[in-house]
Amino acid sequence: MKSDRSPPPLLKVVDLQTHFFTEDGVVRSVDGVTFEIEATKTLGIVGESGCGKSITALSAMRLIQSPGRIVGGEIRFENRDLLKLSEAEMRAVRGNEIAMIFQEPMTSLNPVYTVGFQIGEAIQLHTDLSGREVRARVIEMLRLVGIPSAEQRFDDYPHQMSGGMRQRVMIAMALSCNPKVLIADEPTTALDVTIQAQTLNLMRSLQKEFHTAIILITHDLGVVAEVADDVVVMYMGKIVERASVGTIFDAPNHPYTVGLLRSTPKLEDDHNDRLPEIRGSVPSPFSVLTGCRFHPRCDRATDICRAEEPDLIQSDSTHWVRCWHADGPPLQMQSSAPTVESRP
Amino acid sequence: MSQSADLIEVNDLAKHFPGRSGFSFGASRPLVKAVDGVSFSIERGKTFGLVGESGCGKSTVARLILRLIDATAGTVKFEGADLFAAPRHKMRRMRRNMQIIFQDPFSSLNPRMTVGEIIREPLWVHGTPRGEEQKRVRELLELVGLAAEHASRHPHEFSGGQRQRIGIARALALRPKFVICDEAVAALDVSIQSQILNLLKDMQREFEVAYLFISHNLSVVKYISDVVGVMYLGRLVECADKKRIFAAPNHPYTKALLSAVPSMKPGRARNMIMLEGEIPSPLDPPSGCRFHTRCPMAMPACSKTEPKLREVAPGHVSACLLNDP
């Protein structure tokens, strides 16, 4: 699944740094993140709570609120640096060219307006369609995202819909202005698995139709395997590994990526031995760590890991790893020594 | 199988909540049949996994078994004794053998109590001799991978995974024979989830505790369970040995559920059974088989006849008209 990098990327994030200046100290939520994405492609950003994946997304939309601030980097979108735009210029981009959907559709929809009105609002803001045309466009969008009897549903309030329907409304709203980039932050996490499958399918077919680039933020490796073309793995504000989806799952090289993959129970697995663990937990965001941020939890860690921070090194055309021992022997994808696969 | 193998026997359990009457003044209020005729049993020291989507009634089953809410019908037997017939004082004594671990480690621990007090409370309620308490708290903390000095701290000083360990220590304080884990790992990050799943398994090995493991995550249920039951709209639609149900699911709903789980193998072609539509409201469940509105295999008879659980293989039951001779 090697993508040839000839077309210029649609969105390029370069060395993004978003810090939070709290009373207890500075939290470097996003600390030098670089990635790019092309049209019709899906980039998955994975990592656990607090790794900075959502802050990365909000930064790309310039939606960071005090005490947070984007302190460095570039967000290049079609040859403009979004960080240099005025707030008015940014408003024309937000929702229009780059749109976002969130995890909990109930909290991102306004409960006192009908869903039709809310979808129409975005269209009205970014186009000069008449009221009647807006309504027609909204109904078309509702149909497109598979909401039955769209004309009647136009006048529904969010509470009259189920979680899956509300997420469809969010998708309709996000895609109503035909954005070039869609940022989806845990879009299916609150949904049941059969509804998740429907929603992912819908996103995929709409992506094909509109050539949307999707940045999918999730903690669910299964969802990433399912829909992403490229994957970025984040840990404590930094990218630790970046590769095509095939490489991430078949030949991961960062101990954190390997640990995540190994410790996730899989439907394909038939054993019930102890799960391989990543020991300990993510350190406090205020803690001052020297060296590699993962070293306290890493089995590979040596003196250099404790002393110096490794760079994100490109190991082949589509694979970057931030590890001093990336050249070492390949990491075992199967359980480590004491556990044995007992059953076939 | 010996007579005493089953620790918990759930028989025809039902819970009907009165629904909102809306504008139909005078008319009888509709019933939400949250749980409707569910039967299963759990062996000593084994794990029964209960799966299903939101609103299928799996958490209500947990609350009914512990008598946190009263059942409309049915019985639950614990070591042969009928829980619903037990008088209060007797129920209280039996409760020490039945504990629950909740999903949200942030809301299930009292923020004003120290961790030591939280774990000591069940010991105190059930009359552990003074002096011994302190020692037990220390032991329990170490058992779940925390340190004895954590006893004097408050819950907010701990991470989500550590809080879940505290919840487990509290649940195990009285050496119960039966623990319900209601989405116990759903709120945890992957790396912490595996630690807690391992801990639950270690505790089971050590104390021979039986789990009712309620989860919407099929991969986790597959990992931890011995027997698995699948619920849909208040009914148990299929139940079998873990290996059997994942290898050869019988009910169309189980099949669809399994096929909807994203695979960790990218690019692999999958035969996904895409279910149409949404889960119907339990206020107005479909007639006949409750799954017929979404079922890819539905026949005309499915909307009329309610299928019964039938044995399709030894120890494997499924409620689908396709199995009828």
Side-chain angles (χ1 to χ4, degrees):
Chain A
M1 235 185 278
K2 282 210 179 98
S3 48
D4 76 64
R5 300 267 160 187
S6 44
L10 188 59
L11 179 78
K12 190 165 179 169
V13 172
V14 185
D15 200 23
L16 179 70
Q17 302 193 12
T18 305
H19 296 178
F20 283 76
F21 300 88
T22 72
E23 282 179 15
D24 300 318
V26 178
V27 177
R28 298 171 172 196
S29 298
V30 179
D31 199 10
V33 162
T34 299
F35 60 80
E36 57 194 47
I37 181 166
E38 294 159 31
T40 329
K41 292 278 182 199
T42 301
L43 174 77
I45 304 185
V46 287
E48 300 180 288
S49 325
C51 72
K53 54 193 192 301
S54 291
I55 300 297
T56 302
L58 290 171
S59 302
M61 294 284 276
R62 271 183 53 189
L63 288 171
I64 298 294
Q65 284 181 327
S66 174
R69 212 167 66 223
I70 300 172
V71 295
E74 281 173 43
I75 296 167
R76 298 212 67 84
F77 175 66
E78 297 189 314
N79 296 321
R80 281 179 295 172
D81 182 357
L82 297 186
L83 298 182
K84 296 217 169 74
L85 298 186
S86 70
E87 186 48 40
E89 288 169 319
M90 189 61 209
R91 260 202 300 275
V93 173
R94 220 183 269 137
N96 191 24
E97 297 188 86
I98 306 179
M100 187 158 180
I101 51 179
F102 300 90
Q103 169 173 355
E104 204 3 283
M106 197 58 205
T107 53
S108 28
L109 287 168
N110 190 329
V112 300
Y113 291 107
T114 63
V115 297
F117 176 84
Q118 294 184 59
I119 300 172
E121 207 180 8
I123 301 173
Q124 220 148 24
L125 201 66
H126 294 293
T127 64
D128 40 18
L129 296 179
S130 71
R132 189 168 308 203
E133 287 165 328
V134 169
R135 190 185 166 95
R137 174 101 178 106
V138 170
I139 290 169
E140 187 195 324
M141 287 311 298
L142 287 174
R143 259 198 215 114
L144 199 67
V145 297
I147 289 181
S149 44
E151 254 135 280
Q152 284 94 310
R153 289 301 215 165
F154 182 95
D155 296 312
D156 272 6
Y157 288 90
H159 75 268
Q160 292 170 293
M161 296 184 147
S162 68
M165 282 294 162
R166 287 197 286 260
Q167 199 57 292
R168 283 169 192 261
V169 167
M170 286 304 296
I171 294 172
M173 193 186 294
L175 295 181
S176 60
C177 293
N178 217 338
K180 293 182 176 125
V181 180
L182 175 67
I183 302 176
D185 189 355
E186 303 273 9
T188 59
T189 306
L191 306 178
D192 278 314
V193 26
T194 59
I195 308 297
Q196 165 172 292
Q198 291 174 354
T199 310
L200 292 177
N201 241 20
L202 171 69
M203 285 174 60
R204 239 180 328 220
S205 67
L206 293 176
Q207 175 177 44
K208 257 190 217 131
E209 196 167 336
F210 297 111
H211 308 290
T212 324
I214 297 180
I215 299 178
L216 179 83
I217 293 159
T218 181
H219 70 285
D220 188 330
L221 292 160
V223 171
V224 167
E226 195 102 311
V227 299
D229 299 298
D230 294 292
V231 183
V232 158
V233 182
M234 285 184 73
Y235 186 76
M236 290 190 81
K238 299 234 178 211
I239 293 178
V240 295
E241 186 157 11
R242 174 180 157 197
S244 69
V245 70
T247 307
I248 284 284
F249 284 86
D250 294 336
N253 203 353
H254 195 283
Y256 179 62
T257 314
V258 174
L260 279 183
L261 289 169
R262 280 175 39 185
S263 60
T264 308
K266 295 161 206 68
L267 211 52
E268 296 89 15
D269 282 355
D270 263 322
H271 72 89
N272 48 8
D273 313 309
R274 283 179 69 86
L275 288 166
E277 296 175 6
I278 301 177
R279 65 164 181 265
S281 52
V282 181
S284 147
F286 298 110
S287 62
V288 183
L289 272 179
T290 54
C292 171
R293 297 183 180 200
F294 188 58
H295 85 254
R297 306 178 73 188
C298 184
D299 294 331
R300 262 187 186 178
T302 56
D303 288 339
I304 189 165
C305 306
R306 290 179 271 271
E308 246 177 281
E309 165 127 47
D311 288 328
L312 191 62
I313 303 286
Q314 187 160 10
S315 61
D316 69 49
S317 63
T318 61
H319 197 179
W320 289 259
V321 185
R322 188 189 296 281
C323 178
W324 286 117
H325 303 294
D327 302 330
L331 290 153
Q332 288 297 303
M333 270 310 291
Q334 292 308 320
S335 321
S336 52
T339 36
V340 187
E341 298 263 348
S342 51
R343 277 168 276 268
Chain B
M1 215 166 279
S2 75
Q3 195 188 359
S4 64
D6 287 338
L7 184 72
I8 295 270
E9 265 175 80
V10 176
N11 242 314
D12 234 359
L13 194 61
K15 177 67 187 177
H16 300 169
F17 292 103
R20 294 256 188 82
S21 55
F23 289 110
S24 55
F25 294 111
S28 64
R29 299 169 83 190
L31 288 177
V32 179
K33 296 183 176 175
V35 175
D36 202 17
V38 167
S39 306
F40 60 89
S41 56
I42 307 175
E43 281 179 48
R44 224 170 267 283
K46 298 279 184 192
T47 301
F48 185 90
L50 195 55
V51 295
E53 299 180 284
S54 330
C56 72
K58 54 194 193 300
S59 289
T60 306
V61 167
R63 279 153 185 76
L64 289 171
I65 293 177
L66 293 180
R67 269 182 73 180
L68 298 176
I69 49 175
D70 285 322
T72 308
T75 58
V76 174
K77 284 187 181 162
F78 181 80
E79 298 190 306
D82 188 345
L83 282 184
F84 295 166
R88 260 194 117 127
H89 65 279
K90 213 171 158 199
M91 185 62 206
R92 207 170 160 171
R93 268 214 306 281
M94 290 209 274
R95 277 234 169 89
R96 66 178 304 160
N97 275 317
M98 317 165 74
Q99 299 290 327
I100 183 163
I101 302 166
F102 294 100
Q103 167 171 2
D104 186 354
F106 289 81
S107 60
S108 53
L109 302 175
N110 187 336
R112 291 156 181 269
M113 289 164 84
T114 64
V115 168
E117 285 164 349
I118 289 170
I119 300 173
R120 200 174 306 127
E121 203 176 30
L123 296 170
W124 174 74
V125 168
H126 290 278
T128 304
R130 277 190 186 282
E132 213 174 284
E133 290 172 357
Q134 213 71 359
K135 203 179 114 220
R136 288 281 293 137
V137 169
R138 245 192 339 262
E139 279 172 14
L140 282 160
L141 280 172
E142 275 160 18
L143 197 66
V144 298
L146 296 169
E149 61 265 25
H150 285 141
S152 56
R153 299 206 197 148
H154 287 85
H156 75 265
E157 297 173 66
F158 294 89
S159 66
Q162 286 174 316
R163 281 178 216 225
Q164 207 55 306
R165 288 175 193 268
I166 297 166
I168 293 172
R170 175 180 59 184
L172 294 175
L174 295 161
R175 296 268 159 84
K177 292 176 182 162
F178 175 56
V179 173
I180 296 180
C181 306
D182 190 359
E183 296 280 8
V185 297
L188 305 177
D189 272 319
V190 187
S191 72
I192 306 301
Q193 173 181 282
S194 58
Q195 295 173 0
I196 297 297
L197 287 172
N198 281 339
L199 176 64
L200 287 170
K201 279 215 156 178
D202 293 344
M203 297 297 109
Q204 181 165 57
R205 219 166 289 140
E206 184 139 356
F207 301 120
E208 246 213 319
V209 45
Y211 292 130
L212 172 59
F213 194 91
I214 295 172
S215 177
H216 69 283
N217 186 330
L218 287 137
S219 312
V220 168
V221 164
K222 181 173 184 194
Y223 168 70
I224 202 155
S225 307
D226 298 296
V227 181
V228 175
V230 180
M231 283 186 74
Y232 186 77
L233 275 178
R235 289 203 162 258
L236 194 67
V237 297
E238 183 163 10
C239 183
D241 172 56
K242 179 250 298 271
K243 261 197 202 156
R244 169 95 201 162
I245 203 164
F246 282 97
N250 174 278
H251 199 282
Y253 178 61
T254 313
K255 288 180 185 168
L257 208 54
L258 289 176
S259 82
V261 178
S263 155
M264 295 274 281
K265 295 208 164 52
R268 200 192 67 175
R270 296 202 297 141
N271 295 324
M272 183 133 78
I273 306 166
M274 196 57 83
L275 287 185
E276 297 288 317
E278 316 237 327
I279 307 169
S281 158
L283 209 85
D284 184 23
S287 60
C289 172
R290 292 181 179 195
F291 185 57
H292 85 259
T293 52
R294 300 173 77 199
C295 182
M297 318 283 288
M299 317 173 282
C302 296
S303 58
K304 296 182 193 84
T305 321
E306 171 125 37
K308 299 248 178 315
L309 274 176
R310 258 175 213 283
E311 193 156 67
V312 292
H316 183 175
V317 291
S318 171
C320 178
L321 291 182
L322 288 170
N323 298 322
D324 281 6

